Amino acid sequence: MSLLAVGTLAYDSIETVAAKRADLLGGSVTYFSLAAALFAKVAVVGVVGKDFKKQDLELLRAKGIDTAGVEVQDGETFRWSGRYEADWNTRHTLATHLNVFEHFDPKVPAAQRSARFVFLANAAPEIQAKALAQVSAPIFVMADTMNLWIDIAKPALLDLLRRVDALILNDEEARMLTGERNLLRAAAKALDLGPKHIVLKKGEHGAFLIGRGAHFALPAYPVEEVVDPTGAGDSFAGGFMGYLASVGTVDAPAMRRSMLHGTAAASMCVEGFGVEQLAKCTRQDVDARCAELRSIVTV
Amino acid sequence: MSLLAVGTLAYDSIETVAAKRADLLGGSVTYFSLAAALFAKVAVVGVVGKDFKKQDLELLRAKGIDTAGVEVQDGETFRWSGRYEADWNTRHTLATHLNVFEHFDPKVPAAQRSARFVFLANAAPEIQAKALAQVSAPIFVMADTMNLWIDIAKPALLDLLRRVDALILNDEEARMLTGERNLLRAAAKALDLGPKHIVLKKGEHGAFLIGRGAHFALPAYPVEEVVDPTGAGDSFAGGFMGYLASVGTVDAPAMRRSMLHGTAAASMCVEGFGVEQLAKCTRQDVDARCAELRSIVTV
């Protein structure tokens, strides 16, 4: 079934302990759509500046990603730069330049308004809501967010959460949103805000899927060498939503398998700088990791 | 099959953010044997002072634990006091008084020398080796250790590791033992030291079982409220070894199920101060948690 993702396309500059790379293709819907496209037809809505490289748009199109919803505006593309500590858990944002994304006004093309699966990548909740309002009858909507919006736009975020099926968060965001230290209680409180499913991302420690009376836990895929964790969360979301859209159902077994596919996609992502590894991998690669991960967790 | 555990019986004074308790029954083989006794016949070897309460020895005996190997010496019982931070991950040792444990000379009673499963709880590796040398034909020996021994007694520890089947470690100890930051590579290096299995404890993030070309990962049981994490690692080891001894085999499926039973036992332990919750729980309680945990991880 059709899958739509709304969010950023960006250029990132990334420093790790081992290396430093500038102006890499990045952004939430870039990672998301490259992962989702392994499983389903995906369309993206976003905005880029005149500096956005033709070859980067072509990279997405070559994967079958529909980029008709990517608006080109006067100005520069969103830019982010950050540095990771040796343990990967500490990320320092060095600079964020919203550029053309500052006044992003999402316009979902007519052909995409019937999308059944929707991913609202991290953005101001008002922008996420504006995009969602243009989709006529979605079956399953997942939203991402970040500390900034919990801090400065909580009423709008709470309003959005009443209209989504799933919220994807990391542990810190879950605690901040709910004021609850214990992650399981934080997830339970987040369910009270509207979503039927909470996806808790714990990085190298895996992910939880929590619903009312339902709990699924999955460790991360054992990656031998992390090169760059940028985009892991959006790749997870892409594998998750892409798989769900491919099976067209959101029952409990499908949701658990979507966690497996999200985890496998995220593990591919972190093995290269930016999108380099994710853009190279095939459905067969991800399926092999899913099978391996399944065997790793089978009691 | 018969199971033998060698280590400490102690009195602990514990501070958490919520409460403070003094002189609680503790010690590695206390936690271990209470967990293991849920599944198998277990005998303990240790030393206590004249101050060790009769009722505490009786508590163990009432669970069917053989305490013939617990020597009573002039002097005081091992005492430990510590404080946990709100996140449970930071533990400050406030005081350690080895007392009679300082000159612990393990004597395995004749009746226990034929034990087939052996747990060498954290102690100086020379003491662990001395105990192991008294067991005639064990099938499966698991050793625990700590940073102190990796630091001050590494040659003796390396010598011991060549003679055990499994080593149980937390992430920090694995990194310190091998000098390798990446946990999977650390486990692979630890395998090179002799043991066929490495059990990596990651606290709230679960545990790994790693062998040559074999990898099993299990999240922690989702405990609603942690009261006191003291003894969680030894309770894990107790559930793990107790289950293994009960089935009498160490093939891959049995090892995976032993991880499940260790995880369930540890989750019981952390729900009460000291051994209070662990001492109350039944085989049925643990079996119910194993079934629940299995459903939580099933894809």
Side-chain angles (χ1 to χ4, degrees):
Chain A
M1 285 188 188
S2 50
L3 170 59
L4 175 71
V6 185
T8 57
L9 297 104
Y11 286 118
D12 295 338
S13 293
I14 296 162
E15 285 180 51
T16 69
V17 171
K20 200 169 161 172
R21 300 280 190 94
D23 302 323
L24 295 171
L25 172 63
S28 54
V29 296
T30 306
Y31 285 102
F32 178 93
S33 63
L34 284 169
L38 291 162
F39 309 99
K41 185 93 188 111
V42 53
V44 296
V45 167
V47 61
V48 296
K50 296 272 192 206
D51 59 338
F52 199 74
K53 291 183 212 125
K54 214 176 149 185
Q55 75 211 54
D56 288 332
L57 221 46
E58 273 159 13
L59 170 75
L60 301 182
R61 285 182 192 142
K63 300 284 177 182
I65 298 162
D66 183 334
T67 61
V70 178
E71 211 180 324
V72 183
Q73 281 191 358
D74 270 340
E76 276 198 278
T77 299
F78 183 109
R79 273 165 203 270
W80 176 82
S81 65
R83 183 168 58 79
Y84 294 93
E85 302 268 356
D87 68 359
W88 299 120
N89 295 320
T90 315
R91 173 163 108 167
H92 306 280
T93 287
L94 302 176
T96 305
H97 300 288
L98 293 175
N99 298 332
V100 296
F101 194 72
E102 189 171 354
H103 302 289
F104 178 43
D105 182 18
K107 295 172 199 78
V108 180
Q112 310 304 340
R113 291 187 190 157
S114 57
R116 308 311 299 271
F117 290 81
V118 179
F119 178 63
L120 305 169
N122 175 30
E126 293 86 350
I127 293 174
Q128 294 175 304
K130 216 163 171 179
L132 181 57
Q134 298 170 55
V135 183
S136 54
I139 294 174
F140 190 87
V141 179
M142 181 155 83
D144 189 10
T145 191
M146 73 183 289
N147 287 355
L148 176 67
W149 312 121
I150 299 170
D151 194 20
I152 70 166
K154 200 161 180 187
L157 178 60
L158 294 178
D159 196 48
L160 177 78
L161 293 184
R162 283 188 284 274
R163 284 177 288 150
V164 304
D165 300 281
L167 173 64
I168 186 163
L169 290 163
N170 66 28
D171 45 3
E172 191 193 342
E173 292 158 356
R175 290 182 174 122
M176 191 170 165
L177 177 64
T178 62
E180 177 61 65
R181 250 216 89 69
N182 178 295
L183 273 185
L184 297 172
R185 281 200 297 263
K189 276 196 176 181
L191 286 172
D192 289 338
L193 301 176
K196 289 180 286 295
H197 308 276
I198 304 297
V199 178
L200 258 178
K201 297 176 290 184
K202 304 194 301 160
E204 62 172 318
H205 301 301
F208 290 160
L209 171 67
I210 295 167
R212 239 168 251 300
H215 188 140
F216 174 63
L218 191 66
Y221 176 88
V223 169
E224 281 280 340
E225 177 120 37
V226 172
V227 172
D228 169 20
T230 309
D234 290 309
S235 303
F236 179 98
F240 183 100
M241 292 291 286
Y243 177 79
L244 269 190
S246 78
V247 295
T249 167
V250 292
D251 60 14
M255 295 287 287
R256 286 178 172 220
R257 286 193 302 270
S258 70
M259 292 283 288
L260 199 66
H261 288 78
T263 297
S267 77
M268 292 292 180
C269 171
V270 304
E271 287 183 345
F273 257 106
V275 302
E276 67 184 9
Q277 209 55 30
L278 187 62
K280 260 186 229 161
C281 86
T282 64
R283 171 78 195 246
Q284 285 68 33
D285 295 332
V286 177
D287 284 349
R289 290 211 164 173
C290 286
E292 199 187 333
L293 188 56
R294 195 192 281 260
S295 89
I296 283 172
V297 301
T298 299
V299 186
Chain B
M1 285 190 190
S2 50
L3 170 59
L4 175 72
V6 185
T8 57
L9 298 104
Y11 286 118
D12 295 339
S13 293
I14 297 162
E15 284 179 50
T16 69
V17 171
K20 200 170 163 171
R21 300 283 188 92
D23 302 323
L24 294 170
L25 173 63
S28 55
V29 295
T30 305
Y31 285 101
F32 178 92
S33 64
L34 284 170
L38 291 162
F39 309 100
K41 186 92 189 114
V42 52
V44 296
V45 167
V47 61
V48 296
K50 296 273 194 207
D51 59 339
F52 199 74
K53 291 182 209 121
K54 213 175 149 189
Q55 76 213 52
D56 288 332
L57 222 47
E58 273 159 12
L59 169 76
L60 300 182
R61 284 182 191 142
K63 301 282 177 183
I65 298 162
D66 183 334
T67 62
V70 178
E71 210 181 324
V72 183
Q73 280 190 359
D74 271 339
E76 276 197 278
T77 300
F78 182 108
R79 274 167 202 268
W80 176 82
S81 64
R83 184 167 57 79
Y84 294 93
E85 302 268 356
D87 68 358
W88 299 120
N89 295 321
T90 316
R91 175 163 106 166
H92 306 281
T93 288
L94 303 176
T96 305
H97 300 288
L98 293 175
N99 296 332
V100 296
F101 194 72
E102 189 170 355
H103 302 289
F104 178 42
D105 182 18
K107 295 172 199 77
V108 179
Q112 312 302 342
R113 291 187 191 157
S114 57
R116 308 310 300 272
F117 289 80
V118 179
F119 178 62
L120 304 170
N122 174 31
E126 294 86 349
I127 293 175
Q128 294 175 304
K130 217 166 172 178
L132 182 56
Q134 299 170 54
V135 183
S136 53
I139 295 175
F140 190 86
V141 179
M142 181 155 83
D144 189 9
T145 191
M146 72 184 288
N147 287 355
L148 176 68
W149 311 120
I150 299 170
D151 194 20
I152 70 168
K154 201 161 179 186
L157 178 61
L158 294 178
D159 196 49
L160 178 78
L161 292 184
R162 284 188 284 273
R163 283 177 288 151
V164 304
D165 301 280
L167 173 65
I168 186 164
L169 290 162
N170 65 30
D171 44 5
E172 191 192 341
E173 291 157 358
R175 291 183 174 122
M176 191 170 164
L177 177 65
T178 62
E180 177 61 66
R181 250 216 88 69
N182 178 296
L183 273 185
L184 296 172
R185 282 201 296 263
K189 277 197 175 180
L191 286 171
D192 289 339
L193 302 175
K196 288 181 288 294
H197 308 277
I198 304 297
V199 178
L200 257 178
K201 298 176 288 184
K202 304 194 299 160
E204 62 172 319
H205 301 301
F208 289 160
L209 172 67
I210 295 166
R212 239 170 252 298
H215 187 139
F216 175 63
L218 191 66
Y221 177 89
V223 169
E224 281 279 340
E225 176 121 38
V226 173
V227 172
D228 168 21
T230 310
D234 291 308
S235 303
F236 180 98
F240 182 101
M241 292 291 286
Y243 177 79
L244 269 190
S246 78
V247 295
T249 167
V250 294
D251 60 14
M255 295 286 286
R256 287 178 171 220
R257 285 193 303 270
S258 71
M259 291 283 287
L260 199 66
H261 288 78
T263 297
S267 76
M268 292 291 180
C269 171
V270 304
E271 288 184 345
F273 256 106
V275 302
E276 66 184 11
Q277 209 56 30
L278 187 62
K280 259 186 227 161
C281 86
T282 65
R283 171 78 195 244
Q284 285 69 33
D285 295 332
V286 177
D287 284 350
R289 289 212 166 175
C290 286
E292 200 187 334
L293 188 56
R294 193 192 283 257
S295 88
I296 284 171
V297 302
T298 299
V299 186

